[in-house]
Each structure stands twice: as structure tokens, then as C-alpha cells.
Amino acid sequence: MVIYDKQYDIIVVGAGHAGCEAALAGARMGCATLLLSINLDAIALMSCNPAIGGLAKGHLVREIDALGGEMGKNIDETGIQFRTLNTRKGPAVRASRAQADKQLYRLRMKRVLENQENLSMKQGEVTALYVEEGVVLGVDTRVGVRFMGKTVILTTGTFLRGLIHVGLTSYAGGRAGDLPADSLSASLIAQGFDVGRLKTGTPARLDGRTIDFSKLEIQHGDDPPVPFSFSTGKIVRQQLPCHIAYTNQRTHDIIRANLDRSPLYGGLIEGVGPRYCPSIEDKVVRFPDKERHQTFLEPEGLDTVEIYPSGLSTSLPIDVQYAMYRSIEGLESVEVMRPAYAIEYDYVDPIQIRSSLETKLVRNLFHAGQINGTSGYEEAAAQGILAGINAALRTKGRDPLILGRGEAYIGVLIDDLVTLGTREPYRMFTSRAEFRLLLREDNADLRLREKGYEVGLVGEEEYARFREKRNMIAEEMNRIRGKRLIPSETERSFLEEFGLADLHNGISYEQLLRRNEFTYHELMRIDGQSACLPAEVREQVEIQVKYQGYIKRQLDQIERSSKLENSRIPEDFDYVTLAGLSSEVREKLLRFRPGTLGQASRIQGVTPAAVSILAIAIRAGRAR
Amino acid sequence: MYHKDTIAAIATPVGEGGIGIVRVSGVGAGGIASRIFRARGSGGLESHRFYYGEIVDPGSGLVLDEAMVVVMLAPRSYTREDVLEIQCHGGYLVVRKVLELVLSQGARLADPGEFTKRAFLNGRIDLLQAEAVIELIRSKTETALSLAQHQREGFLSNRINAVRDGIFKSLALIEAYIDFPEDDILLPDNDEIKSSVRGSFERIEELLEGFREGRVIREGVSVLIAGKPNVGKSSLLNTLLREKRAIVTSVPGTTRDIIEEVVNIKGLPVTLLDTAGIRETEDEVEQEGMRLTLEKIPLADIVLVVVDGSKPFDDEDRLIMDAVSGCTVILVLNKSDLQRVVQLPDDLSDLKVVSISARDGEGIDELREAIFSMFVREGIIEGRDYTVLTQVRHRDALAKAKVHIASFLDGFGRGVGLEFSALDLRDALGALGEITGETTPDSILDEIFSRFCIGK
């Protein structure tokens, strides 16, 4: 084994969406960082659908951006269709989604990494961790080089013992066209990690020249497109539409007739797949009464004819794929360019990591992304940036950055992983966030910019702009509280339009904005000053005023839970001799080793009484 | 200090007793004492000194009871927080009323064992004593366990689950619509959701009503007889008592000039309070009697206002009607054996009116029926289980859930955003979770995935 002559602060294994954010965060915080990838041409590759965002995922992207991450900026520069989802619902559940030009996305991210100070990139497959006395010291690669690092972040994606299935044919691979990482799992198992198996899948890529788009419904993006990043001014790239097609009874018949050739139904696949992203055969079997299933045909880029048919992932044999796709109206003579496939891969039970994403078993080793059982680029990137930040903080001897469930979806994501574990690939939903009304896309900067600045990821210029916005919001809140609409000084028709004709004493602008049908749009008709404000300031003020009651209710809920959340449980806490716990609860606590009383209370099977006993014992320990 | 909120609970066992103690702990204890306690002949309350005086509702100015009160300022108290102890007359109703008053002043109901827990968390109890506390909390869970076993045969879990189901299913429909905008999920059927949640609401009301009735059946109610002098109050009392079999017990009046008797009305224990007549007078002794009567009025569950049916309704009758405004009232027109002269003013036309003759017992059965039906909707039904909901903690949880469901029905009806409606339903489930165990986000997702074909 050759020991490389340079010592790194942080070694990131894997250059997907988690690895890129981790490496950038580490390097930007001043750490000597090495990014290792099996294939340097596949950096930030979108292995599945060419899109970023969606419900709860868009929220994550905004949070990553507020912390000083790259994902939002990257999609803003390479996106070819932007849409805001749920525009008819309230601000908390509105979310951004964008189609990416897959190649541009990857190339831009690579360029950013290459231009990043403190960051080196090398191609290599990591085969083992180098651990001594429970502390990771480096990694070994296939070609016999040992890289030494103070911290290591594993972001292995689907590469750990990756196994690709197309029908009853299977072969080893980390992704179609890439080698797997076959040795690293054994190294993890040797360290005591519980390694499990998950499964995911992706549809075929279709040749757009062989699709009759005239038969399909067209779907355009928003005009003007709204960017993800708080730092992006305007989206300038050319935009493309998507198309919508539907399966039919014939499609379903073809699938049903060939289920015996499916590796999933034939028992060849042992890994657990996601219920929210089922293959088309799964949908047909589980929902036999549904007459058709919708698919969005998403362009993979500006300079390619490849089309991604969302919702049509499958592991059926290739001949069935041909017949199945061609049974869809508009796709009668479609050519498959890349076959659909399912992939199985290893993950490590996330209850073996802490809220900082450091593993409990090996010091200075961090896990992020699919290795923790999650799915999705955004979920991966969110963990990546936190792992990068916390590895960097570790090298500086500082406490980790841990986000609360009331602060960020990232906090919800990590807390869910460490307290609940996961049996299927974990995806974020807004319904997972009990403080959903506070965790909005629009206020991600107000929630997290400050933290990004404190750790050193948000630059001075961006921070100054943020502070200005925050001040303007505060000033405007004050102004509309003080400023009043005086009936005698207001046009009669305006008063009548809003049912204010009987008003005698005047009404503050704040009270006006609280009314159902009254927005800044209406206020600007009588108040010149509000028109001078930037749109995002008006938006914030309007939301904070209109939803004040609900926002306050959620803040109160956070306040009530904060006592449990802030009570740390010592790492070496002795559950074995603690009187009063049932054996089931004791076993759970020993297995999960929660970091706080709040986390303990969320572990399934841990009763409120058990939490009380813990609280008392912890106080007692502290008193001693 | 460790806690920001103020807790309160009844510290003495529930039931008849000489003295009932309400204990309050937390930063708000002192403030509550100064608002609701009027000490006889002294200024402020010094720490660790007993004071005699009255518990007064600062909202209405009405006196609830006479009491002994002590304030123990932190850290020299059981919990090391500011503690207020109110010793009032025993008997469930009085103590409960005092507790409710304290809760209305900003305290919240303490969890089981919470005073002891605070004592520990604030460092008041040492390690050795902590073991005892653990035992105590464990014994709570064992109580809960035996209760759970008891309820296996009972209905509570089933009933609560029925309530929960309506909410849970509706929430899953709403969450699916929120979280999967690209999965061609249709807007949920508002009427279906509304009727399902309304069903849960009605089930809760049913349970709460059962609780109230159950409490009334177990602990009885108090009925106060009021009226101007010489309208026949005492003869009404005697008539109600005349049926000797009905007399359960005779308790000496806790206050000198009010006579308390307990009778059984159709199985319902009823405490009858006969009071001094109310009228304008210069007589000091009579004034004192009237003052006591006025104090007792708000404590009664029901007030029988006796009016002489053989005379016109006059200003003195009006004086009494004013004194009982806000109370549950039955208007008793006495002396039906004489010529009826009285003409009731229009504003009293909504009141329940019963004509009787206290002298010969005419109309007494009707009056008994009227008293009974004021508390028990359809009569005590054979086989009906009034023990489904008996725990105050469960009642409080259901009442909380009811508030959230009401908020949902209001907001959903007005078309506020679905995510706000979802918060109401989640909070309702959270409150029910205090009885049945938590509903996790995962179980909501399970429901969504089993109902809808999700996946792009």
C-alpha cells in the first residue's frame, strides 16, 4: 500500500449530490479536502430523473442554498423548465421544481469543484476504511494508495455492492455504465455496522425523434421562471416544455402477462423499494382498478433527443419494455435508447449515526446520502452539506451544527433517520414536518442564512444583502402597524369595495392586510410607499401578517417541545442499571442511544413515562 | 428555574372530606393568589404564613368559598418554585370550582406526579428520594396498565378509535392532496371530509356529555332554592323531603344560615340548599343571611326560583331574577291551590316553569322530573355505561381535541388553506394521542400509500 504524501482534513468518498456539497462545504470552510470518485466524468450526475425540487424537496434545496450550498445555484444556471407547485395552496406548501439539462448540470458542478480552492479531485474506488482504535484515519483505494485524512465522509449512493436488474438478467454495477464498489461494505461490516439492502429503479430513456408529441398534452414552465437560489437574479437559459402521456389497459395487460419475468415478483430482488416511487408493474398490481397512469415526458437536455418518462420505471425484461412503452398513445413507434432497470445496493442503518451525521461506531467518520437509506438528490445534498460542515467543524475542534425540527426540513430529515431508522428509501414529504407552516421555501434564508454565515459558507456580500432584506422586513412590519387608513382621507369607492364604508376610527395597514381578500396589491392603490419595496419583502410581510395566528401557534408548540429537545442524554448513559424501564424500552434505548430526551420520545415504543424516568435520572446524574 | 409555566391540581383525594386543598406551583402562583384571594383584614401575603379569607372570582366578583391560604415563595417550597396552597371546604364541587378558577387565571392542569417531578428537577429532592419518585412514576404506568386492561372490556378505546379514525382518514386525504400535486390526485371531496370530521366531533360531544352525566350520577348535583320571603321556600324543601325513603343523609349546613339536605331524585343524589329570602331590607341580620345566599348562588348547579303564583310578579321577584342571571334556573310557581294571579314578564318566557302547591304536593313529581332532566338527557338508561369516560385527564384531552376539530370545521368551511386545516386535525390527533397513543407521520403516509397510487 502506497501512503500518499499529503494529509487531508476531509476525504469525501463519492461525487454525487451529497459528495459535491460535502466537499464544497469542507473546502470553503478552509479545510484541505479530497474528493474521490469512481468516475470523474460522472460528477453530480442525475442518475434518475433530470429534475430538481418538488414538494418538500424544493424546500430542502432552498435550505441548502441559504446555508451556502451549491445545488440551488447549479440548477438555476442549468435548468430548462421551472415551475412552482401548489400555487393555489398556501405559502408553506408551495414548492419549486425544475427540469435540468442533465449534462450541463454535471459539467457546471464539475467546473465549480475544479475552481474551488483547497479542493482536490481524484478518480479511484475506495475499497476499505483505515481505522485504528475506533478512529478513522484514512481510506484505501483499488490501485493501492492509502489517503490519510482527519475526517472521512462516505457518500456511496447506489454503488455499494450495486446489482443491476433488467428482467431476469442481473449484473454488478454502481449505475448503468459504471463500476460498483464491491469491497467497502465488508470494511463497514468489520467495523460493526448493520448493513442492509435497498432497491430503486429508473425508467428507460426514449428517443424523442420517435415520439409523436402532437398526440400529447403539452406542459410549459412558469413565465417568468422563478429561481431556487436566494443569490440568483434571473433565469436566462432557453426553456423547454414537458409532455404528458398515459398508460392504458393494453399497457397493463402486457405488464400483467409478464410478471413472471419480473425480478421483483420472481423473488430475485431482496432489497426494499420505495412505496412513493413504485415501478409501473407495482402500480398495476397494487391498483388494479386504476384505468391509466400518468407519465411526464421530460427532456434530458437542450442538445439531446433523450426523453425521461417519469413514473414508468420498471425491471421487466427488455422485450416487455419495448412492448409496454409502445402501447402508450404517442409512443407507438418509440425507440428505447437506454433500458429501464432496477438496482439493489447496500446501506447502513441510520440509527448508527448521530444528528451530526458522524457514525456512533467510528469517530470522525460521517455518512451522507443513500448510504443512510435516503432517496433523492435533494435529500442527499442536504445531508452532504451538513456532513461537510460538521467534518470541517470537527477539524477545528468546534461543536457540530445540528438543525432542529422546527428550524429546517434538513433537521426533520436527519432527526427522522437517527430516531426512526428506515426500512425503505426515505423521501421527504411536507407531512413529515410537524412545524410545516414555519418551514417554508420563502423564509429559508430567514431561518438559515445566519447559520451559514456563522460557519463560514455564506460570503460577506450575500450576507449583507440578506441583512438588508431582514431589516426591510422588520421596518415594514413596524410601519404597517403604525400607519392607518383614515376613512375621511380615503376615496369612498375604495372603502365600499372592501366593506369599510362604516369605518369610523380608521384601521391599521396591518389589520387591512390581515383581511382575507386584501393583499399588498390592494394596499399599493392607497399607499405609495409599499410599492417601493422589493417583492420578496412584501411577500414576507404579507405572509407573516396573514398567517400570524397559525405561525404563533406553531412557535408555541416549538417552545413547549424545546425543554425535551434541549435536554442532552450523556453518550455513556447507563440504561442497563436504570430502574423502572421495561425491558422492551431498555432494549430500544440501548440500540438507538438517542442524543436528547426529545429524540428518545420519538423512538417508537418509548413511552412518556420512560422519558420521565430518563429525565429524572439525567438530572440526578448532573447533580452528582 | 426549570419550568416556565404554572401548574395546579387538587391535592386531596376526590370525594367528600372536611377540607379540600388546591395546590399551585410555578412563577404565576403568587399572581394568582393576589387575584383570587381576599384576605380578611390584612395587606399583602407574606411567605409561609396562613391567611384566612375568601376565594373570589375576579371576573364576576363572586365569592366561591371561604378559605385558608398560604403562599410559599421559591426556593423554600416543596417544588422549589413559588407555591400556593388553598384550603377550602371539602366536597367535590367546591374544590373543583376553585381549581377551575385557578386554571382560568393562567395555570394549567398538572400531569400525574408533576409536583414531585418538579421538586426533583429543581433539585429539591436528593438522589435517594429520587428512587422513590421513580417508583411513583412507575406505579402511575402500572395504574395505566390496569386501567388499560379494564378498558379492554369497556368501550373507551373503541370509542376514541372511532373518533380518531374519522380525523385520521380525512387528514390522509388532505395530506395526499398537499404532498403529491403531480400525481393526479383529485381535490378531496369536501363534503365527505366534513361529514366524517363532524361525525368525530359528535362522538366527542357524546363522550363529554356522558362524562358530565356520569359525574352527576356519581357525585350528585346541588340545587339552591331562592325567592323572596314567604313564598314557600321552606315548605317546598319540606315537601321534597317529606318522602322519607328519599332521604339519604342529612348533612349539617356548612354555613350557619343555609340549610343543606340531600335527597335522591330518580337515583340522582341532589343536595338541596334552602336559603334566606332576598329583599331590600335595613335589618342587619337579614342582610347577612342574604349575603350568604348571594354567595352560594353561583356554586349551585341549578337554582329553583320560587314565586308566589297567587300574587303579582313584583320588584322583589325581579331582584331575585337579576341575582340568578347566568345560572341554570327553574321557575317554580307556588301556591297553585290558590287563584293564579301572577303574570310573568316577557323576558322570562324562555325559562322552564313548573307550577306546584308545596302545601298539598301537587306538581312535585313534575318538578323532580324537571330537575332530573336538566342533568341527564334521556334519563338514566338501563345498561348504559356512564363509566366510559371517567378520568378528568381523558376528559381534558377530549375537550382539547374538540376545540381543534371545531377550529377545523370552521376553517375548512370558510376555505382557509388545506395546510392550516391539516394543522387543526394534527393537533386534534395529538390531543387524542394522550389517551390512545400517538399517530405518527409514518402512519399517515402508510394510509396515503395504501389509498393512492403515488409515484412519478
Side-chain angles (χ1 to χ4, degrees), chain B residues 68-125:
Chain B
M68 297 286 289
V69 157
V70 58
V71 172
M72 289 163 275
L73 293 180
R76 288 174 56 216
S77 74
Y78 178 58
T79 56
R80 283 212 168 161
E81 300 172 341
D82 290 351
V83 166
L84 161 68
E85 280 188 11
I86 303 166
Q87 303 191 357
C88 48
H89 284 107
Y92 187 79
L93 288 173
V94 174
V95 186
R96 180 77 208 178
K97 285 243 157 74
V98 171
L99 175 65
E100 276 166 11
L101 178 62
V102 168
L103 296 180
S104 77
Q105 295 296 310
R108 71 165 169 80
L109 195 61
D111 295 331
E114 195 172 2
F115 287 96
T116 313
K117 191 170 129 194
R118 286 187 172 202
F120 178 78
L121 295 177
N122 290 323
R124 166 70 170 69
I125 311 179

Side-chain angles (χ1 to χ4, degrees), chain A residues 555-607:
Chain A
L555 288 172
D556 288 347
Q557 288 170 344
I558 291 182
E559 169 71 25
R560 276 202 298 280
S561 67
S562 67
K563 198 179 75 196
L564 282 182
E565 299 303 328
N566 295 334
S567 294
R568 306 287 281 266
I569 303 175
E571 293 213 344
D572 55 351
F573 188 82
D574 180 8
Y575 294 105
V576 178
T577 61
L578 180 63
L581 294 177
S582 75
S583 57
E584 188 209 340
V585 168
R586 192 190 316 278
E587 187 267 330
K588 281 262 165 78
L589 291 168
L590 278 167
R591 204 156 72 82
F592 281 80
R593 290 210 160 266
T596 63
L597 285 181
Q599 288 188 347
S601 71
R602 283 188 290 278
I603 296 172
Q604 280 176 11
V606 175
T607 58

Side-chain angles (χ1 to χ4, degrees), chain A residues 161-448:
Chain A
R161 296 203 302 128
L163 185 63
I164 290 172
H165 298 267
V166 179
L168 302 180
T169 308
S170 63
Y171 62 96
R175 160 176 57 218
D178 273 313
L179 293 171
D182 274 338
S183 307
L184 188 52
S185 290
S187 173
L188 287 165
I189 291 167
Q191 293 299 328
F193 287 105
D194 290 330
V195 173
R197 205 93 170 121
L198 293 175
K199 170 240 155 187
T200 188
T202 192
R205 302 304 188 274
L206 308 175
D207 185 339
R209 293 170 302 177
T210 58
I211 294 173
D212 184 355
F213 289 106
S214 70
K215 288 183 172 173
L216 304 177
E217 202 178 306
I218 192 163
Q219 186 194 48
H220 292 285
D222 295 344
D223 190 22
V226 179
F228 277 86
S229 173
F230 291 101
S231 308
T232 303
K234 203 174 162 202
I235 305 291
V236 289
R237 192 171 297 282
Q238 179 196 342
Q239 302 289 294
L240 291 181
C242 292
H243 291 81
I244 300 173
Y246 296 94
T247 63
N248 52 47
Q249 281 308 316
R250 205 156 63 79
T251 321
H252 301 176
D253 290 342
I254 292 168
I255 290 167
R256 272 187 218 112
N258 288 284
L259 283 178
D260 57 335
R261 296 169 66 205
S262 146
L264 200 60
Y265 290 93
L268 261 74
I269 291 181
E270 51 172 311
V272 183
R275 282 171 304 170
Y276 48 84
C277 197
S279 60
I280 184 66
E281 54 267 33
D282 241 5
K283 294 185 195 179
V284 169
V285 170
R286 286 186 48 221
F287 296 91
D289 296 337
K290 205 160 154 76
E291 283 169 14
R292 60 178 202 176
H293 295 276
Q294 177 183 260
T295 171
F296 288 89
L297 301 181
E298 305 173 5
E300 290 237 315
L302 295 168
D303 290 327
T304 176
V305 296
E306 285 193 78
I307 296 286
Y308 174 98
S310 78
L312 296 183
S313 81
T314 180
S315 55
L316 288 165
I318 190 70
D319 56 311
V320 184
Q321 292 190 21
Y322 294 151
M324 187 260 293
Y325 288 123
R326 284 174 190 159
S327 69
I328 294 170
E329 188 179 5
L331 274 62
E332 290 84 354
S333 37
V334 76
E335 289 293 332
V336 169
M337 291 175 74
R338 310 184 198 212
Y341 64 95
I343 183 165
E344 288 184 280
Y345 56 96
D346 286 347
Y347 79 111
V348 175
D349 191 341
I351 71 168
Q352 292 184 306
I353 57 171
R354 302 167 207 277
S355 299
S356 62
L357 298 177
E358 187 184 17
T359 67
K360 292 174 179 171
L361 295 176
V362 178
R363 188 171 162 80
N364 296 342
L365 175 67
F366 296 75
H367 288 175
Q370 279 168 302
I371 191 171
N372 285 333
T374 61
S375 135
Y377 311 145
E378 304 81 358
E379 286 84 348
Q383 294 166 69
I385 190 170
L386 259 282
I389 289 170
N390 285 332
L393 290 173
R394 167 58 55 78
T395 66
K396 296 167 196 288
R398 289 174 57 188
D399 284 340
L401 173 66
I402 291 167
L403 301 175
R405 297 183 69 90
E407 279 179 309
Y409 273 95
I410 302 178
V412 175
L413 167 68
I414 295 174
D415 188 69
D416 277 353
L417 291 176
V418 305
T419 59
L420 304 174
T422 187
R423 292 172 308 267
E424 69 176 327
Y426 177 104
R427 189 195 132 175
M428 186 48 74
F429 302 104
T430 71
S431 66
R432 295 197 196 266
E434 64 272 41
F435 306 117
R436 172 164 64 193
L437 300 181
L438 301 177
L439 306 184
R440 305 186 304 272
E441 271 198 5
D442 62 73
N443 69 355
D445 56 342
L446 295 169
R447 292 184 277 122
L448 298 172

Side-chain angles (χ1 to χ4, degrees), chain A residues 49 51 53-57 83 85-86 89-93 97 219 246 275-278 283 286-287 290 292-294 296 298 308 310-312 405 420 423-424 427 429-434 436-437 516 547 550 553-554 557 559 563 567 578-581 601 604 607 609 612-613 615-617 619-622 624, chain B residues 2-5 108 114 116-118 120-123 126-127 130-131 133-135 137-138 140-141 171 174-185 187 404 407 411-412 414-428 438 440-456:
Chain A
N49 80 335
L55 252 281
K57 289 167 169 275
R83 288 202 305 134
L85 307 177
N86 272 348
K89 298 169 198 162
V93 294
R97 185 182 186 282
Q219 186 194 48
Y246 296 94
R275 282 171 304 170
Y276 48 84
C277 197
K283 294 185 195 179
R286 286 186 48 221
F287 296 91
K290 205 160 154 76
R292 60 178 202 176
H293 295 276
Q294 177 183 260
F296 288 89
E298 305 173 5
Y308 174 98
S310 78
L312 296 183
R405 297 183 69 90
L420 304 174
R423 292 172 308 267
E424 69 176 327
R427 189 195 132 175
F429 302 104
T430 71
S431 66
R432 295 197 196 266
E434 64 272 41
R436 172 164 64 193
L437 300 181
N516 252 350
Y547 303 106
Y550 287 101
R553 195 159 135 197
Q554 294 244 287
Q557 288 170 344
E559 169 71 25
K563 198 179 75 196
S567 294
L578 180 63
L581 294 177
S601 71
Q604 280 176 11
T607 58
S612 297
I613 292 171
I616 286 161
R619 281 294 289 205
R622 217 175 292 154
R624 221 173 341 174
Chain B
Y2 204 65
H3 298 87
K4 284 185 183 158
D5 54 353
R108 71 165 169 80
E114 195 172 2
T116 313
K117 191 170 129 194
R118 286 187 172 202
F120 178 78
L121 295 177
N122 290 323
D126 65 20
L127 203 57
E131 298 289 339
V133 178
I134 290 170
E135 285 304 312
I137 288 173
R138 188 164 52 172
K140 286 287 175 204
T141 56
L171 180 60
I174 291 174
E175 292 291 0
Y177 183 64
I178 289 174
D179 252 337
F180 302 98
E182 294 185 291
D183 282 277
D184 65 341
I185 289 172
L187 180 68
H404 292 305
S407 164
F412 195 67
R414 283 187 292 119
V416 304
L418 285 175
E419 68 275 28
F420 303 111
S421 294
L423 178 64
D424 286 327
L425 292 185
R426 275 165 183 268
D427 287 348
E438 213 187 336
T440 61
D442 253 358
S443 54
I444 295 165
L445 286 169
D446 287 345
E447 173 75 11
I448 292 174
F449 296 142
S450 70
R451 279 185 81 128
F452 298 104
C453 181
I454 302 288
K456 44 171 194 159

Side-chain angles (χ1 to χ4, degrees), chain B residues 111 126 191-192 241 267 344 365 445:
Chain B
D111 295 331
D126 65 20
D191 291 338
E192 185 191 329
L241 291 174
L344 291 178
D365 281 346
L445 286 169

